[in-house]
Amino acid sequence: MERAWIISVGTELTLGQTVDTNAAWLARRLAEMGIRAERHVTVDDALEPLRDLLRDGAGRADLLLVTGGLGPTDDDLTRQAVAAAAGVELELHPEIVEQIRAFFATRGREMGERNNVQALVPRGGRAIPNARGTAPGVFVEVEGTPCYALPGVPFEMREMFDTEIAPRLRAAARSGVLLSRVVHVVGPGESDIGEVICDLMQRGRNPEVGTTAQFGVIGIRINARGDTPEAAAGLLDATEQEVRGRFGQRIIGRDQDTLATVVGALLIETGSTVSTAESCTGGLIAKELTDVAGSSRYFLGSAVAYANEAKTNALGVPGDLIEREGAVSEPVARAMAEGARSVFASTYALSVTGIAGPGGGSIEKPVGLVYFALATPSGTTCRRVRFGSDPPRAVIRARAARAALDLLRRELLRASAGESP
Ligand code: ATP
């Protein structure tokens, strides 16, 4: 068993009212047991399209996993569609009716007539117990391909998969495992990264390597297949080392690491603290830093100084400096960082001032222009970055926050290595 299709059923999913988290969760679980989710499909609550999709999937995949549409209402049609795809009738199982009745009784409620449909099982298939809800899952073979239908409610689905289905799949899965790792790189764009590792990204290579971008941080995903977890991990390690060798300090970490967690760890390691003075990022850097539990150990505070007067009153930036140089300028960025370092008495202070757009740009100071400064015990450094005027405001702000955190990260790496700036 190598290839699976995951089918998510529900009009609220296709309309975008609910985000399909089930498919992603199932795909990760399958990968851990060496089964690749080759296709994720989302369909409406409609019988024929789902039936046809299941038949199509049965011809192309080794496993079909369906979630949603097992409820008692008229728009819950998965049971019927699965039976239709298998070409069999649904049969009422009285013992399942009793189980559902008992489930309601434990909650002090009476089972309604409608719930009888949840005791229907395709002939030749079987019901899968649901420890967390009323709707049992369904197993049936569609043209010889195993097909499992699970409830849509995520916690019911997860428990049913882990306890009732995963053990069977593990036994049937091709020997071997698929392990994944993501290495996060900051700085270059996704296409530049693609060029640096194009040899590693070739199709059919094991491990497979691919990239995803999110606001200035690129994730390099490595998927390795091996006969044993150790073999797959060894392949991951080798490719990770290769990637690290090519990007050096531009790599911020892997898997759950973010700029904020890495910066936090380095601040703890070096026994230092940080504060921020934010204009165009409006507190985003402080938000990212404080998203990390325990950040009170090193994050002291932030001044969101948007108006010129706020830059003067909260951070001591001289009014005539702002007047002369403009609020978006290197001298003001430097003065903001130095002001925050002094106001908050922190080891480091980061500042950001820029033009997030869409309006407010000029020829000399276009939208997307951002100055960052970092005040340190040994002086202040400043960087000027142009993020381009195309990205929406939210993207410029998010990228600016990440770039500022990266400025601090690089300084902290130098400090922890005992280098002078
Ligand atoms: P129930 O017996 O509770 O009705 P069901 O199998 O019929 O179970 P659905 O009615 O399809 O499940 O979905 C129930 C709820 O579960 C949805 O309202 C939605 O909040 C959530 N849900 C369904 N499918 C998904 C999915 N793919 N990802 C995330 N949440 C989902």
Side-chain angles (χ1 to χ4, degrees):
M1 186 177 287
E2 287 180 39
R3 296 163 309 152
W5 279 24
I6 300 175
I7 300 170
S8 308
V9 182
T11 302
E12 60 180 288
L13 300 171
T14 51
L15 289 180
Q17 292 161 350
T18 298
V19 175
D20 179 2
T21 55
N22 286 351
W25 187 89
L26 283 169
R28 286 197 297 272
R29 276 289 200 273
L30 290 175
E32 285 163 15
M33 50 185 92
I35 302 171
R36 173 184 287 276
E38 195 180 64
R39 207 173 277 203
H40 293 196
V41 192
T42 311
V43 290
D44 282 0
D45 295 303
L47 202 152
E48 284 83 14
L50 178 55
R51 177 200 62 199
D52 296 346
L53 183 66
L54 288 164
R55 286 194 179 147
D56 188 22
R60 299 169 191 246
D62 310 313
L63 170 68
L64 301 170
L65 290 180
V66 185
T67 75
L70 290 180
T73 54
D74 290 342
D75 59 359
D76 290 309
L77 295 164
T78 297
R79 214 172 262 102
Q80 288 87 326
V82 165
V88 297
E89 297 294 313
L90 284 165
E91 293 172 335
L92 186 76
H93 285 226
E95 74 284 4
I96 300 176
V97 177
E98 288 320 307
Q99 283 163 14
I100 298 172
R101 201 185 300 285
F103 184 87
F104 274 100
T106 58
R107 281 158 176 69
R109 288 165 56 202
E110 200 143 312
M111 176 184 147
E113 275 303 301
R114 276 186 170 283
N115 291 89
N116 275 328
V117 297
Q118 295 184 302
L120 292 171
V121 179
R123 182 174 302 147
R126 61 186 170 77
I128 307 170
N130 181 349
R132 310 284 295 267
T134 58
V138 174
F139 169 80
V140 71
E141 283 196 357
V142 177
E143 294 166 8
T145 300
C147 171
Y148 292 89
L150 295 91
V153 182
F155 70 86
E156 293 181 26
M157 183 282 290
R158 292 176 187 193
E159 171 135 347
M160 186 180 289
F161 182 83
D162 280 344
T163 57
E164 302 289 337
I165 300 174
R168 291 170 193 272
L169 296 184
R170 247 180 232 113
R174 179 178 112 151
S175 63
V177 287
L178 187 65
L179 293 185
S180 291
R181 191 174 289 171
V182 186
V183 177
H184 305 288
V185 187
V186 75
E190 198 173 2
S191 53
D192 299 330
I193 288 189
E195 268 176 41
V196 175
I197 55 169
C198 60
D199 53 327
L200 305 179
M201 290 175 75
Q202 263 164 21
R203 284 178 77 89
R205 184 180 181 275
N206 184 27
E208 276 180 359
V209 176
T211 59
T212 51
Q214 217 207 6
F215 301 139
V217 177
I218 316 290
I220 300 179
R221 173 171 292 282
I222 310 169
N223 295 328
R225 190 180 280 284
D227 289 337
T228 61
E230 294 73 27
L235 290 169
L236 281 183
D237 287 342
T239 295
E240 182 182 341
Q241 283 318 312
E242 188 64 42
V243 169
R244 282 186 182 271
R246 297 187 196 187
F247 294 103
Q249 280 204 346
R250 286 187 291 175
I251 291 185
I252 60 165
R254 73 183 206 200
D255 296 332
Q256 309 306 322
D257 293 337
T258 64
L259 272 166
T261 63
V262 170
V263 160
L266 285 165
L267 286 165
I268 291 174
E269 183 191 318
T270 52
S272 40
T273 57
V274 68
S275 61
T276 63
E278 304 190 47
S279 188
C280 68
T281 45
L284 260 183
I285 307 175
K287 190 233 171 244
E288 295 222 348
L289 284 167
T290 54
D291 277 342
V292 180
S295 47
S296 60
R297 286 174 67 185
Y298 50 79
F299 176 72
L300 300 191
S302 171
V304 179
Y306 221 56
N308 291 350
E309 300 72 41
K311 293 182 179 68
T312 302
N313 297 338
L315 297 163
V317 181
D320 59 341
L321 185 74
I322 302 178
E323 187 106 334
R324 201 174 57 243
E325 305 284 347
V328 180
S329 63
E330 172 163 348
V332 169
R334 285 176 178 272
M336 286 170 67
E338 285 161 12
R341 186 165 177 268
S342 142
V343 168
F344 292 104
S346 54
T347 324
Y348 299 97
L350 272 174
S351 76
V352 184
T353 177
I355 302 166
S362 65
I363 305 241
E364 308 84 65
K365 296 192 176 171
V367 169
L369 175 68
V370 181
Y371 288 91
F372 309 89
L374 174 65
T376 78
S378 56
T380 304
T381 52
C382 187
R383 274 183 63 207
R384 176 187 191 274
V385 177
R386 261 213 69 189
F387 290 108
S389 49
D390 294 343
R393 182 176 170 82
V395 174
I396 292 178
R397 280 152 53 97
R399 285 205 189 148
R402 301 273 164 89
L405 284 171
D406 193 48
L407 191 63
L408 176 58
R409 180 186 70 96
R410 286 169 186 256
E411 175 65 27
L412 287 166
L413 284 175
R414 273 194 291 276
S416 80
E419 292 170 25
S420 51

